[in-house]
């Protein structure tokens, strides 16, 4: 791998002319699409998904093959190699002054390219003026670099735009807005599944070629590429209805929840399985959160859902409830508190009752409280003092918390 990187470095240093710029004569009007062409490399056949992108950039001197005649389309790209490519492909005026990266000496083959890419605003370093030139660059960093360097901003709702990607939850926070902008500019190319962004995976040489080509297209520098893997869909949400009566399976981090009969207890639950429509489209992904509270109901309690939060950040009001839970567990003097609290979560009222009846005031320091929390625990304990016993409601989270929709739920989903 080290030898391959050194070969690539040498080839880039020789063929890209690190300090030079490349003029383009592209029309600002959108011309006819470029179609796939015969490959120049034995390892990039004519039917390879990225052949058109690769050949166009090779012809423009932006990227090159290896001395053995190969291209190695699936090889990773280092940050230094990407700097050499991007500053060659998209020359622009200086946005900021260069800094002296401690790990990029002046004798380093990509010293000028890295400085150029930094000055143009495409790439930044890490804390301590570190650049990490030999580190492979992930796909999300490539897209962030291109969007930021070209000063693209997201025009539409970021969560809605990114909701097109099935793995949107894996996008780093710093990358969400730039990748949404890159999506709007049709700079994202996903092979072989358009809806799989794979943001954390290291970008390959073929993928970087595709991203850079699409960045050039967004600037009117090249013709449109005829590829089925360019994310060109306008992000249009479609309303889908989940009918009343649908059961939503639920999980919770603790095995049981203890609370008093009159306690109102805010809790966030987790959807335990995908909710899909008859066509198999996932409407509520597993791992979505449902915020709500336990409320007294007759002689028991029930969970009342209030808000659904999808992994992509979309939020919906939801009207759903659990069954009424009436099972109880008695707490007396001498109760084994350790056994009682094993894998349990406590409402503040229940914690106060246990502390008062058993005399175990250390319960206030345990990380078991949900709801109002330990801050008001001391004010609740006196109401239970003098009692020999208290009956607490017990919610078995594995069996008691599945929710039933009381009204139809309308969701906006990107099909």
């Amino acid at each position: 791998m080290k030898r391959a990187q050194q070969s690539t470095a040498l080839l880039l240093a020789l063929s890209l002319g690190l300090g030079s710029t490349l003029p383009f004569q592209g029309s600002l009007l959108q011309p006819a699409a470029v179609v796939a062409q015969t490959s120049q490399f034995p390892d990039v056949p004519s039917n390879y998904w990225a052949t058109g992108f690769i050949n166009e950039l090779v012809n423009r001197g932006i990227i090159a093959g290896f001395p053995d005649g190969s291209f190695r389309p699936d090889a990773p790209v280092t940050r230094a190699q990407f700097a050499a490519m991007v500053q060659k492909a998209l020359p622009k005026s200086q946005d900021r002054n260069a800094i002296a990266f401690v790990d990029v000496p002046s004798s380093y083959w990509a010293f000028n390219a890295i400085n150029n890419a930094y000055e143009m605003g495409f790439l930044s370093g890490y804390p301590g003026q570190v650049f990490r030139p030999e580190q492979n660059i992930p796909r999300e960093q490539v897209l962030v670099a291109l969007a930021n360097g070209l000063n693209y901003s997201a025009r539409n709702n970021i969560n809605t735009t990114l909701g097109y990607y099935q793995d949107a939850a894996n996008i780093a926070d710093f990358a969400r807005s730039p990748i949404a902008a890159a999506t709007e500019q049709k700079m994202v190319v996903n092979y072989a599944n358009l809806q799989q962004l794979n943001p954390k995976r290291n970008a390959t040489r073929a993928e970087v070629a595709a991203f850079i080509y699409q960045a050039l297209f967004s600037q009117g520098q090249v013709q449109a590429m005829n590829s089925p893997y360019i994310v060109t869909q306008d992000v249009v949400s479609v309303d889908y209805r989940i009918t009343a009566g649908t059961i939503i399976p639920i999980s919770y981090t603790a095995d049981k929840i203890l609370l008093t009969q009159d306690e109102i207890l805010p809790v966030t639950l987790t959807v335990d399985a995908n909710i899909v429509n008859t066509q198999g489209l996932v409407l509520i992904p597993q791992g979505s959160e449902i915020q709500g509270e336990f409320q007294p109901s007759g002689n028991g309690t029930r969970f009342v859902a209030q808000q659904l939060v999808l992994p992509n950040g979309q939020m919906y009001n939801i009207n759903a409830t659990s069954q009424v839970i009436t099972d109880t567990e008695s707490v007396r003097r001498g109760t084994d508190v350790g056994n009682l609290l094993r894998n349990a979560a406590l409402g503040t009222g229940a914690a106060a009752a246990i502390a008062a009846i058993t005399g175990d005031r250390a319960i206030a320091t345990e990380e078991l409280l949900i709801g109002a929390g330990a801050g008001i625990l001391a004010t609740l304990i006196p109401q239970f003092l003098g009692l020999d016993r208290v009956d607490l409601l017990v919610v078995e989270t594995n069996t008691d918390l599945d929710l039933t929709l009381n009204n139809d739920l309308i969701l906006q989903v990107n099909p």
Side-chain angles (χ1 to χ4, degrees):
M1 178 62 70
K2 188 72 172 178
R3 182 176 299 173
Q5 290 178 345
Q6 289 173 343
S7 298
T8 305
L10 176 61
L11 199 61
L12 286 167
L14 294 175
S15 66
L16 297 188
L18 297 177
S20 64
T21 60
L22 182 66
F24 294 99
Q25 304 297 326
S27 168
L28 295 180
L29 300 177
Q30 183 171 328
V34 174
V35 297
Q37 52 194 278
T38 303
S39 174
Q40 306 175 43
F41 304 101
D43 56 348
V44 183
S46 59
N47 62 350
Y48 183 67
W49 72 269
T51 296
F53 300 110
I54 292 169
N55 286 347
E56 286 296 316
L57 294 195
V58 169
N59 292 339
R60 290 173 175 267
I62 294 167
I63 194 169
F66 289 84
D68 64 0
S70 67
F71 184 78
R72 303 176 196 174
D74 296 324
V77 175
T78 67
R79 284 169 53 81
Q81 291 166 359
F82 177 69
M85 297 177 201
V86 74
Q87 60 92 41
K88 181 77 171 180
L90 295 158
K92 57 190 288 281
S93 59
Q94 178 178 321
D95 285 349
R96 56 191 174 182
N97 294 325
I99 62 174
F101 291 111
V102 297
D103 54 349
V104 184
S106 59
S107 58
Y108 186 67
W109 73 269
F111 175 80
N112 289 334
I114 290 170
N115 281 346
N116 290 343
Y118 178 85
E119 290 173 350
M120 295 175 188
F122 287 109
L123 287 169
S124 295
Y126 294 90
Q129 295 188 202
V130 173
F131 187 78
R132 301 178 188 172
E134 298 300 317
Q135 177 178 284
N136 292 333
I137 188 166
R139 284 167 53 88
E140 68 179 359
Q141 285 190 22
V142 174
L143 292 170
V144 168
L146 292 171
N148 286 346
L150 296 175
N151 299 314
Y152 290 146
S153 299
R155 298 187 300 267
N156 302 313
N157 180 274
I158 293 171
N159 290 331
T160 301
T161 300
L162 297 183
Y164 174 79
Y165 302 113
Q166 296 169 347
D167 52 355
N170 296 334
I171 302 172
D173 288 344
F174 77 88
R176 292 181 65 81
S177 180
I179 290 179
T183 301
E184 293 173 356
Q185 295 291 337
K186 299 179 173 56
M187 289 162 52
V188 181
V189 184
N190 291 337
Y191 174 83
N193 183 343
L194 276 172
Q195 292 185 276
Q196 284 289 334
L197 184 66
N198 295 306
K200 303 298 185 188
R201 181 168 58 73
N202 288 334
T204 66
R205 282 166 52 82
E207 289 169 340
V208 169
F211 291 153
I212 290 178
Y213 187 93
Q214 287 304 112
L216 289 167
F217 173 71
S218 74
Q219 293 281 292
Q221 302 282 9
V222 296
Q223 298 177 357
M225 182 64 66
N226 184 17
S227 169
Y229 304 113
I230 301 169
V231 180
T232 58
Q233 291 89 339
D234 292 327
V235 182
V236 177
S237 296
V238 178
D239 287 348
Y240 287 88
R241 181 183 302 271
I242 304 177
T243 57
T246 298
I247 304 298
I248 302 176
I250 292 297
S251 64
Y252 187 66
T253 53
D255 291 340
K256 64 181 179 181
I257 299 172
L258 302 177
L259 64 161
T260 59
Q261 186 172 338
D262 60 351
E263 193 164 1
I264 296 176
L265 187 62
V267 177
T268 297
L269 307 177
T270 302
V271 176
D272 201 37
N274 290 335
I275 305 299
V276 302
N277 66 4
T278 55
Q279 289 76 42
L281 179 68
V282 176
L283 303 181
I284 302 179
Q286 181 181 15
S288 299
E289 294 183 344
I290 295 184
Q291 301 169 353
E293 61 187 17
F294 286 98
Q295 297 178 1
S297 181
N299 294 325
T301 187
R302 75 191 311 173
F303 182 81
V304 178
Q306 298 169 335
Q307 193 161 64
L308 168 68
V309 183
L310 301 183
N312 64 9
Q314 288 178 292
M315 304 174 71
Y316 298 91
N317 293 330
I318 182 173
N319 182 354
T321 51
S322 71
Q323 62 179 308
V324 176
I325 300 140
T326 57
D327 292 340
T328 61
E329 187 164 351
S330 297
V331 179
R332 298 180 174 85
R333 297 184 186 278
T335 292
D336 184 345
V337 175
N339 185 63
L340 176 68
L341 301 185
R342 186 172 295 113
N343 296 324
L346 302 182
T348 311
I354 295 170
I357 299 297
T358 66
D360 185 357
R361 303 302 173 87
I363 193 173
T365 65
E366 300 187 34
E367 295 181 357
L368 299 169
L369 298 175
I370 54 179
I376 67 167
L377 183 64
T379 66
L380 298 178
I381 289 177
Q383 65 181 288
F384 298 103
L385 292 175
L387 299 179
D388 295 324
R389 164 185 139 179
V390 65
D391 294 329
L392 299 178
L393 291 167
V394 182
V395 179
E396 299 290 346
T397 60
N398 292 324
T399 57
D400 294 341
L401 287 181
D402 288 352
L403 303 178
T404 301
L405 277 178
N406 298 319
N407 293 331
D408 290 356
L409 176 62
I410 308 297
L411 301 178
Q412 292 184 332
V413 179
N414 299 311

